[in-house]
Amino acid sequence: MREFLRALPENPASKKLGQAYLAQHPAENDFDRLLATILDPYAPASSSSLRASISARLQEDLMNDKVLFLDGWPITVTEARLCALRLLS
């Protein structure tokens, strides 16, 4: 999983969003705990399964209005958690 996250783009904006999310949600400042909130624990760990699981979670966030504002940007909770995971990886 860490290899998958390292493949995500790392840029100043995503780093800043990850830091802002963790500042607002300090209980999630743990890689394994944060990962467990995003992924289905029973899903296979293949790259395509990870992408499908994350995509489903993003759609679920949008349908359930799980959007927050970090540093002035609207972002789904899953996107924010991915930025935080990338920061912690």
Side-chain angles (χ1 to χ4, degrees):
M1 179 62 192
R2 289 183 194 261
E3 289 178 27
F4 174 79
L5 290 169
R6 286 187 192 110
L8 296 174
E10 184 175 18
N11 56 58
S14 64
K15 184 177 181 179
K16 193 171 185 178
L17 292 171
Q19 290 169 332
Y21 181 79
L22 291 174
Q24 290 181 13
H25 301 88
E28 293 188 30
N29 196 352
D30 175 85
F31 183 87
D32 293 326
R33 180 179 293 192
L34 198 52
L35 185 61
T37 65
I38 295 173
L39 297 180
D40 177 355
Y42 303 106
S46 72
S47 185
S48 61
S49 294
L50 291 172
R51 286 189 185 105
S53 178
I54 290 169
S55 179
R57 195 63 72 138
L58 291 170
Q59 290 176 4
E60 182 181 302
D61 283 356
L62 291 170
M63 291 187 325
N64 294 309
D65 199 29
K66 291 184 178 180
V67 177
L68 45 90
F69 284 83
L70 293 176
D71 200 35
W73 291 87
I75 186 170
T76 67
V77 171
T78 299
E79 289 170 316
R81 286 175 170 159
L82 285 170
C83 288
L85 273 174
R86 180 63 179 100
L87 186 66
L88 295 173
S89 67

